[in-house]
Amino acid sequence: MRGRVVVITGGGGLLGKQHATAIHAFGGIPVIADVNLAAARRVASAVGSRAVPIKMDVTDPKSIMRVRNTVTKQFGRVDVLINNAAHDPKVGDGRNSLTEGRFEDLDLGTWNVDLAVGLTGAVLCSRYFGETMAERRGGVILNIASDLALIGPNQTLYEVPGLPSTNQPKKPVSYSVVKSGLLGLTRYLATYWASHNVRVNALCPGGVENGQAAEFLKRIIRLIPLSRMARLDEYQGAIVFLCSDASSYMTGSVISIDGGRTCW
Amino acid sequence: MSMSHSDGSGPSIRQLMTLEGKVAVVTGGGGHLGLEICKALLELGAQVTVVGRNPSKIEPLRSAFAEKVTFLKVDLNAKDSLPILEENLPQRFDVLVNNALTWPATPQFEKVQWDEIQVTLSSGIISPIMLSKLAFVRMAEKGGVILNNASMYGSVSPDFRIYRDSGMSNGIDYNAAKAAIIQVTKYLAVKGAPLGIRVNAFSPGPFSPPGAFDGKDWFRDELLRKMPLARIGQKWEIKGVIAFLATDLSSYVTGQNIPVDGGWTIW
């Protein structure tokens, strides 16, 4: 990874910081792109001296092109793009209402924003950053999907005792659609740019333990052979593997790191 | 088969969903699901030869379908079943269902024995391969259909916690055989394609027979929690996939594995 320039979308988020930490530890230059510049700055200063915070709105082509120009001006190129940005609100938090995740209560505005950030954002970033990689005949795009790109949500995880069934909170459909869509994007781009030596792979992480309620944890670990959620730093190895030449013969691959959740 | 009609319209569903005039061979056709598989084929008009060890198990078929069903008594686990099959199976048949499997003697991995694994793999893999080899010869003229009974446990591992001490868990050799039959399905689908032989698998989930949970209600509850549909499959619920895969309803389907598992493998 030494000297590799890695643009991480949603870099100011929970996992974005972990990706950046891994890249930095192996000598790379993590460009922490986030719509929230303050968050990107916090992550950059925590990660290390080579980390670069930058404001980028993945839903806005002009913003993406601006970042591409800035980064290529400063470093000469972009080696790796990690499409990591996505909305993943905690179920039951309800940005607009308590039952927001319910399919019957689908809010078109929320859906459009979720798709714009998680899926269209990845398409746009791949288009602008991937283009320069293809021109230079080399690069890597890594799409951060999810175990929910492979399986349906188990909605019993989110059940609240005592609530009528019509008010039970649910994991929203946008998340499954965004993450499944990323697998399609992965395979499409893998063949599209194969002759230009741009490798495109997907990582399907399981949930990270991050202060969830005890009852939720009790329920979800029953679905996981390793009987625990992932630790925050447990995807770093995969990030280094998939972003470096260690995976030079891999493209179009989908790697699950889910404690075994999808193997039974 | 030719699907082109001069007026551009295809055959109707009813025209496609028939086995009238067809001959089918079903291994293990006397079992809990085997009987239902045979019924599906018979009800669609096929002549069925059941291959197995115990002729009394197909009595329910004899009363309903009389001379449409015949029994060939063979121990499919034994190599010397091959000449018997060659001599006694119909000279030409259209459908083969590889359904038989000898349940592993030892469910516990820690105690599994070499000879037991051999029995499971003989019945679950070697016998289906050899029968398919014979079927290829006897289907070569007009094409045909081979169906392999796989299992959700050909795709996923059991969650051993839910079995506790029920003794109802399946052995590793079961899962190995079922995973292998899924690959055999793909291999044979490619091999059979130029010959007009389609090869597909179906993967049942829990279709436990009545009484399976007597005194083990807790185990039943554990199973149901693993399934979106939250119920054990009723035996006749396997008939639809057989009707689909065995007839021209699926004339453009080959090399596939269709889960019939109440959603077990989707979450």
Side-chain angles (χ1 to χ4, degrees), chain A residues 170-237:
Chain A
K170 304 281 184 184
K171 188 82 180 176
V173 65
S174 59
Y175 193 75
S176 289
V177 172
V178 162
K179 295 308 188 181
S180 302
L182 288 177
L183 301 190
L185 178 65
T186 299
R187 297 189 180 108
Y188 181 93
L189 292 179
T191 58
Y192 192 89
W193 275 325
S195 58
H196 290 65
N197 197 32
V198 177
R199 299 189 295 106
V200 188
N201 293 296
L203 177 64
C204 291
V208 168
E209 184 169 352
N210 180 40
Q212 291 93 342
E215 176 59 26
F216 176 84
L217 286 174
K218 198 177 106 193
R219 290 178 188 174
I220 197 167
I221 66 175
R222 271 205 65 82
L223 305 181
I224 301 169
L226 291 188
S227 286
R228 60 180 181 82
M229 296 186 80
R231 289 189 299 267
L232 204 45
D233 63 1
E234 276 184 298
Y235 299 114
Q236 292 195 12

Side-chain angles (χ1 to χ4, degrees), chain B residues 24-243:
Chain B
V25 173
V26 181
T27 69
H32 179 60
L33 286 185
L35 281 173
E36 297 301 312
I37 292 166
C38 291
K39 275 188 214 166
L41 301 170
L42 287 160
E43 285 164 7
L44 288 164
Q47 183 90 30
V48 173
T49 299
V50 176
V51 181
R53 284 181 291 198
N54 185 353
S56 70
K57 286 171 84 174
I58 67 152
E59 280 315 313
L61 298 177
R62 287 195 194 282
S63 50
F65 299 98
E67 76 284 353
K68 292 282 271 184
V69 56
T70 53
F71 190 86
L72 176 60
K73 187 170 154 54
V74 178
D75 179 1
L76 289 166
N77 297 351
K79 192 175 171 184
D80 55 21
S81 67
L82 295 178
I84 305 172
L85 291 165
E86 284 220 27
E87 189 174 329
N88 293 289
L89 283 183
Q91 278 311 304
R92 125 125 228 115
F93 52 92
D94 308 279
V95 178
L96 166 65
V97 185
N98 286 311
N99 170 65
L101 180 113
T102 301
W103 195 254
T106 305
Q108 295 98 333
F109 170 64
E110 295 80 358
K111 296 183 184 164
V112 73
Q113 298 297 316
W114 181 287
D115 291 343
E116 293 167 2
I117 297 174
Q118 273 193 331
V119 172
T120 311
L121 297 188
S122 296
S123 68
I125 279 298
I126 302 178
S127 166
I129 290 174
M130 298 310 289
L131 262 170
S132 301
K133 184 181 157 198
L134 179 62
F136 263 51
V137 175
R138 302 206 175 174
M139 291 176 179
E141 228 165 275
K142 291 201 293 185
V145 171
I146 297 177
L147 302 187
N148 295 318
N149 187 350
S151 164
M152 65 187 191
Y153 284 152
S155 302
V156 296
S157 166
D159 175 352
F160 299 101
R161 297 168 309 181
I162 70 171
Y163 289 92
R164 292 191 231 166
D165 57 354
S166 69
M168 293 173 81
S169 176
N170 32 51
I172 188 170
D173 33 346
Y174 180 86
N175 288 51
K178 292 309 190 183
I181 201 76
I182 292 170
Q183 177 53 228
V184 161
T185 301
K186 296 178 191 175
Y187 184 106
L188 290 179
V190 176
K191 268 283 182 203
L195 304 172
I197 299 172
R198 298 188 295 108
V199 187
N200 290 292
F202 54 100
S203 282
F207 273 88
S208 320
F213 303 105
D214 288 354
K216 289 173 184 164
D217 281 354
W218 60 267
F219 175 55
R220 187 174 172 282
D221 294 344
E222 292 271 27
L223 272 184
L224 299 189
R225 286 215 314 201
K226 298 282 289 185
M227 310 169 65
L229 290 190
R231 62 182 179 82
I232 302 297
Q234 304 199 56
K235 58 185 181 181
W236 51 265
E237 289 183 291
I238 205 64
K239 290 166 81 176
V241 78
I242 300 298

Side-chain angles (χ1 to χ4, degrees), chain A residues 57-250:
Chain A
D57 177 355
V58 295
T59 66
D60 176 7
K62 282 202 227 61
S63 172
I64 298 168
M65 279 188 275
R66 211 158 35 231
V67 170
R68 183 179 72 176
N69 294 342
T70 307
V71 173
T72 46
K73 204 178 210 172
Q74 188 172 349
F75 298 107
R77 69 195 184 280
V78 173
D79 297 296
V80 181
L81 166 68
I82 303 180
N83 282 315
N84 171 70
H87 282 170
D88 183 18
K90 269 192 183 167
V91 175
D93 274 6
R95 284 164 286 179
N96 299 315
S97 79
L98 268 176
T99 58
E100 190 178 54
R102 294 185 62 80
F103 195 60
E104 296 86 343
D105 298 326
L106 183 74
D107 176 70
L108 189 57
T110 307
W111 162 268
N112 283 336
V113 173
D114 287 351
L115 270 284
V117 172
L119 194 49
T120 311
V123 171
L124 290 174
C125 289
S126 300
R127 182 238 178 279
Y128 290 108
F129 289 106
E131 181 180 39
T132 65
M133 296 177 194
E135 280 165 6
R136 292 185 52 250
R137 293 289 194 272
V140 172
I141 296 174
L142 176 59
N143 293 317
I144 307 298
S146 164
D147 50 4
L148 291 187
L150 304 171
I151 54 176
N154 186 330
Q155 300 286 5
T156 64
L157 283 173
Y158 312 104
E159 258 171 33
V160 178
L163 273 187
S165 66
T166 49
N167 286 345
Q168 288 289 348
K170 304 281 184 184
K171 188 82 180 176
V173 65
S174 59
Y175 193 75
S176 289
V177 172
V178 162
K179 295 308 188 181
S180 302
L182 288 177
L183 301 190
L185 178 65
T186 299
R187 297 189 180 108
Y188 181 93
L189 292 179
T191 58
Y192 192 89
W193 275 325
S195 58
H196 290 65
N197 197 32
V198 177
R199 299 189 295 106
V200 188
N201 293 296
L203 177 64
C204 291
V208 168
E209 184 169 352
N210 180 40
Q212 291 93 342
E215 176 59 26
F216 176 84
L217 286 174
K218 198 177 106 193
R219 290 178 188 174
I220 197 167
I221 66 175
R222 271 205 65 82
L223 305 181
I224 301 169
L226 291 188
S227 286
R228 60 180 181 82
M229 296 186 80
R231 289 189 299 267
L232 204 45
D233 63 1
E234 276 184 298
Y235 299 114
Q236 292 195 12
I239 293 291
V240 171
F241 172 55
L242 291 170
C243 293
S244 71
D245 292 344
S247 59
S248 56
Y249 198 53
M250 277 177 63

